[in-house]
């Protein structure tokens, strides 16, 4: 018996189309496929996003970009967010990959190797991770002007909080710095940025987590369903414990199901005695500690002995689980284990 992960490609296409409508008719909606499409399978997801209308794509590394070229038409545009160095020369020469240049050293390296190839420039608009700083933009202005510059991007720090004043500060800074490059496309909005309104959307938007159901927004659909098989059912008598450390002690008689799945599959230990799985609409509390491969769950209240329980589905979405685990949906998705049997609905 094995745990199953079902991925709804139709809903991913719906989510892209919904975000595309929000972005406006003059904005190109791309798709972010880094980390193997957030763990869900870039080979399967990239073609359906191309089919629905995405023509440009973002990944983290040049290595991810090279892999992505296997699944998309040659006329697609692929950006590598984490930059460029000399070891990427052959890959960029051989494929239609556009590196995002984040620093003066990356800029120099790129120009030394590719004087005519397209490039993307990132401006740090406040997050202080990657991107050119104010003084670097000034110092490198002539070199940047010599680029075959395809796109300028920024990344909002607080777009998931629509009322945070840093969003507008970043927007105004981005507009001011990109005004020196009037004929170059611009992009500052990822998933949450799109929801801030069209003034943030410019020429290109970069939805990622929202495509996969990881943003609470009424127009977006859930994408994944995870079910864990029941390996064994037994009883706990009053005073007996379960799991490592016997951290749960039964106060009365309990029927317990032991399920395949654990922290090796991305099911976080802080859901121990805090999370639930579901049998239909009925919540089944997790008892004791989640271990590497196994979870024990209270099914005393069920009228039947289930053969599987649902971790993610209609009753508990990825957003619900992230809230319960005290994390973000990105971490839930990218931690989903490789041991699950993966299937796709289209």
């Amino acid at each position: 018996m094995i745990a199953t992960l079902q991925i709804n490609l139709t809903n991913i296409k719906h989510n892209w189309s919904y975000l595309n409508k929000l972005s406006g008719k003059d904005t190109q909606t791309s798709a972010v496929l880094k980390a193997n499409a957030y763990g869900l399978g870039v080979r399967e997801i990239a073609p359906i996003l191309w089919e629905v209308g995405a023509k440009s794509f973002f990944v983290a590394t040049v290595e991810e970009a090279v892999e992505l070229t296997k699944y998309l038409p040659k006329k697609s545009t692929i950006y590598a967010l984490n930059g460029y160095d000399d070891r990427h020369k052959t890959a960029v020469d051989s494929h239609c990959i556009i590196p995002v240049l984040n620093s003066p050293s990356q800029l120099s390296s790129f120009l030394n190797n590719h004087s005519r190839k397209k490039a993307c420039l990132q401006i740090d608009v406040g997050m202080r991770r990657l991107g050119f700083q104010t003084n670097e933009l000034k110092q490198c202005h002539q070199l940047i002007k010599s680029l075959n510059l395809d796109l300028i991007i920024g990344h909002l720090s607080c777009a998931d909080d629509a009322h945070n004043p840093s969003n507008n500060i970043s927007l105004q800074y981005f507009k001011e710095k990109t005004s020196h490059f009037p004929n170059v496309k611009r992009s500052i909005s990822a998933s949450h940025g799109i929801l801030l309104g069209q003034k943030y959307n410019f020429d290109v938007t970069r939805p990622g987590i929202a495509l996969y159901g990881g943003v609470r927004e009424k127009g977006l659909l859930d994408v994944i369903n995870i079910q864990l098989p029941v390996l064994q059912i037994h009883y706990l008598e009053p005073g007996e414990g379960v799991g490592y450390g016997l951290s749960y002690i039964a106060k009365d008689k309990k029927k317990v199901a032991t399920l395949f799945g654990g922290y090796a599959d991305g099911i976080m230990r802080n859901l121990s005695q805090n999370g639930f799985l579901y049998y239909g609409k009925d919540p089944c509390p997790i008892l004791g500690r989640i271990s590497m491969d196994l979870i024990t769950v209270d099914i005393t209240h069920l009228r039947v002995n289930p053969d599987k329980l649902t971790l993610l589905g209609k009753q508990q979405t990825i957003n619900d689980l992230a809230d319960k685990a005290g994390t973000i949906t990105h971490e839930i998705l990218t931690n989903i284990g490789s041991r699950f049997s993966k299937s796709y609905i289209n």
Side-chain angles (χ1 to χ4, degrees):
M1 301 177 74
I2 194 165
T4 59
L5 166 62
Q6 190 177 74
I7 299 157
N8 193 314
L9 298 177
T10 300
N11 286 2
I12 293 176
K13 290 190 287 187
H14 166 91
N15 290 345
W16 185 90
S17 297
Y18 175 79
L19 294 166
N20 186 50
K21 288 178 183 177
L22 289 183
S23 297
K25 63 179 182 179
D26 296 324
T27 299
Q28 178 189 118
T29 303
S30 69
V32 180
L33 295 171
K34 60 185 179 180
N36 191 30
Y38 288 61
L40 299 184
V42 69
R43 180 175 61 185
E44 292 78 13
I45 291 173
I48 62 102
L49 286 170
W50 172 271
E51 171 191 315
V52 77
K55 296 297 178 279
S56 59
F57 302 85
F58 289 81
V59 291
T61 67
V62 171
E63 289 78 12
E64 286 183 345
V66 170
E67 182 188 3
L68 184 54
T69 62
K70 301 174 186 177
Y71 314 126
L72 290 171
K74 289 184 178 180
K75 57 185 176 179
S76 62
T77 304
I78 302 172
Y79 299 93
L81 290 162
N82 284 11
Y84 177 88
D85 65 31
D86 290 344
R87 66 190 173 89
H88 296 135
K89 182 181 187 306
T90 300
V92 172
D93 279 339
S94 303
H95 302 280
C96 295
I97 296 168
I98 301 177
V100 177
L101 307 178
N102 299 300
S103 67
S105 62
Q106 292 180 10
L107 171 62
S108 297
S109 178
F110 182 83
L111 283 172
N112 286 338
N113 290 316
H114 315 280
S115 59
R116 297 184 180 180
K117 282 272 188 177
K118 288 183 178 180
C120 174
L121 188 80
Q122 179 157 205
I123 296 174
D124 182 358
V125 297
M127 192 177 286
R128 299 299 183 261
R129 296 190 312 182
L130 293 176
F132 278 74
Q133 308 294 311
T134 302
N135 63 320
E136 293 172 336
L137 287 171
K138 186 176 181 179
Q139 292 166 4
C140 299
H141 183 74
Q142 290 306 316
L143 281 179
I144 294 170
K145 284 282 191 180
S146 71
L147 282 170
N148 181 7
L149 196 53
D150 177 78
L151 178 68
I152 302 174
I153 70 170
H155 197 82
L156 297 167
S157 307
C158 303
D160 58 344
D161 177 4
H163 303 292
N164 195 304
S166 73
N167 293 320
N168 188 58
I169 292 170
S170 295
L171 175 65
Q172 299 309 318
Y173 178 84
F174 184 69
K175 289 170 71 174
E176 191 250 315
K177 295 305 176 187
T178 56
S179 67
H180 302 293
F181 307 93
N183 298 316
V184 181
K185 292 181 297 181
R186 297 179 291 175
S187 173
I188 199 174
S189 287
S191 291
H192 288 96
I194 295 170
L195 304 180
L196 292 176
Q198 291 192 9
K199 67 180 180 179
Y200 285 87
N201 291 341
F202 293 98
D203 303 293
V204 179
T205 58
R206 313 188 307 269
I209 190 65
L211 297 174
Y212 313 113
V215 172
R216 279 196 170 95
E217 166 70 17
K218 62 182 180 181
L220 298 173
L221 301 178
D222 294 319
V223 167
I224 66 173
N225 180 282
I226 293 178
Q227 295 187 326
L228 306 183
V230 175
L231 303 179
Q232 184 175 329
I233 293 173
H234 62 278
Y235 288 91
L236 282 182
E237 298 296 332
E240 291 183 335
V242 64
Y244 283 113
L246 300 179
S247 59
Y248 173 81
I249 303 295
K251 294 181 179 178
D252 46 30
K253 190 171 184 177
K254 294 286 186 184
K255 184 189 285 189
V256 178
T258 301
L259 312 177
F260 170 67
Y263 59 76
D265 306 293
I267 304 170
M268 298 176 179
R269 290 181 79 243
N270 60 358
L271 291 169
S272 300
Q273 296 185 184
N274 178 44
F276 296 85
L277 284 90
Y278 282 80
Y279 182 71
K281 295 182 179 181
D282 294 324
C284 301
I286 295 172
L287 302 180
R289 293 180 185 168
I290 293 172
S291 57
M292 182 180 289
D293 313 301
L294 301 170
I295 300 175
T296 45
V297 174
D298 184 2
I299 60 168
T300 309
H301 55 298
L302 300 184
R303 296 182 179 181
V304 299
N305 289 341
D307 58 4
K308 58 189 175 183
L309 295 177
T310 300
L311 176 67
L312 287 170
K314 290 182 180 180
Q315 304 305 321
Q316 180 166 255
T317 69
I318 185 174
N319 292 283
D320 298 329
L321 191 65
D323 288 346
K324 182 65 73 172
T327 186
I328 57 175
T329 52
H330 309 62
E331 187 173 11
I332 297 289
L333 277 182
T334 56
N335 282 346
I336 291 173
S338 60
R339 298 190 296 184
F340 292 170
S341 175
K342 194 180 293 184
S343 63
Y344 295 87
I345 300 173
N346 191 11

